[in-house]
Amino acid sequence: MKKLYAVIGLGRFGGSICKELSKEGKEVLAIDMDEDKVNEYKEIATHAVIADSTDELALKELGFRNIDHVIVAIGDNIHASILTTLILGEFGVRKITVKAQNNYHEKILEKIGADEVVHPERDMGRRIAHSIISSNVLDYLELSDEYSVVEIKAGEKLSDKTLIELDIRKKFGCNVVAIKRGKDINVSPMPNEQIIMNDILIIIGSDKDISRFQKALV
Ligand code: ADP
């Protein structure tokens, strides 16, 4: 059976999720209490409905009990976001992803049973900050408070050297998990793999180790 998604709150974040899921051919129910927003998504989502997600009965009538994954993308109204998450939890929705506004909001959401809490502005800010610090850091993905994955463009210090010569694992404690060269991606680079200028290295490690590696070789 086709997986059913619902997006509550069609601001920039929820709207973008809704568009992307629909583009991928997914069945999406789009909800907002603002009529103009709902009209905007009438042609995009499978169904777009005006509703207040803090109204338990309204959600029940919309069949929320049968939705597999709900994304709560309510912006500033933390009260509404928490109440909506609680209602969805009581319905037994299989997966609830909620956008948090701040760290306190995030903690509450985790306590009341959100399966996934996202913090798009904070995370995007961090990613952009890393690429501002070094133009060779193309992307930065936090895995946990301590570990990350970074995409680094090879400059002079890395070019024309093999992984064994660089000895990144031993010297810095991080791992090169893949090397992108143009359109090709090598997901299990061998120790004798030679890095060429502008190759993109995907590196996993603790933030401390990645930072040491960057200072020395990026
Ligand atoms: P963003 O920062 O992602 O642009 P916004 O705060 O602009 O987020 O948008 C949040 C959306 O959530 C708004 O369109 C708003 O109408 C909607 N919204 C807020 N509370 C509720 C609610 N209780 N039920 C349904 N939609 C809501």
Side-chain angles (χ1 to χ4, degrees), residues 35-194:
E35 187 178 355
D36 291 340
K37 287 270 165 61
V38 172
N39 284 335
E40 229 182 281
Y41 286 84
K42 279 241 147 73
E43 306 289 315
I44 297 166
T46 320
H47 304 283
V49 181
I50 307 166
D52 178 348
S53 62
T54 60
D55 179 349
E56 189 172 347
L57 201 66
L59 291 194
K60 204 182 270 175
E61 277 170 6
L62 285 168
F64 262 79
R65 286 181 190 281
N66 302 318
I67 307 254
D68 299 293
H69 191 164
V70 182
I71 296 94
V72 182
I74 294 172
D76 296 334
N77 191 343
I78 292 181
H79 171 85
S81 154
I82 291 171
L83 193 51
T84 303
T85 307
L86 271 172
I87 294 171
L88 296 171
E90 277 176 11
F91 282 177
V93 168
R94 239 158 278 154
K95 186 154 185 198
I96 311 170
T97 298
V98 194
K99 173 185 156 169
Q101 203 63 12
N102 56 48
N103 291 343
Y104 295 111
H105 188 194
E106 181 168 357
K107 270 199 186 131
I108 294 169
L109 292 170
E110 277 164 0
K111 284 228 158 39
I112 62 171
D115 301 291
E116 183 179 39
V117 180
V118 292
H119 231 305
E121 286 95 351
R122 183 195 64 190
D123 295 347
M124 206 53 187
R126 282 187 183 159
R127 286 164 87 162
I128 292 174
H130 282 272
S131 61
I132 289 171
I133 293 166
S134 163
S135 57
N136 280 339
V137 174
L138 304 178
D139 207 350
Y140 177 92
L141 175 72
E142 218 176 47
L143 297 176
S144 71
D145 284 348
E146 229 181 305
Y147 293 91
S148 303
V149 177
V150 284
E151 258 194 15
I152 285 169
K153 188 153 88 177
E156 269 174 20
K157 289 182 192 164
L158 288 165
S159 299
D160 304 323
K161 302 207 173 64
T162 62
L163 289 177
I164 219 162
E165 274 176 85
L166 291 164
D167 212 5
I168 295 169
R169 190 181 304 167
K170 209 189 247 157
K171 284 191 187 142
F172 305 102
C174 19
N175 272 301
V176 177
V177 289
I179 299 176
K180 284 203 249 181
R181 185 169 298 158
K183 281 199 171 115
D184 297 327
I185 177 154
N186 178 355
V187 291
S188 57
M190 292 296 171
N192 61 357
E193 183 75 38
Q194 190 166 43

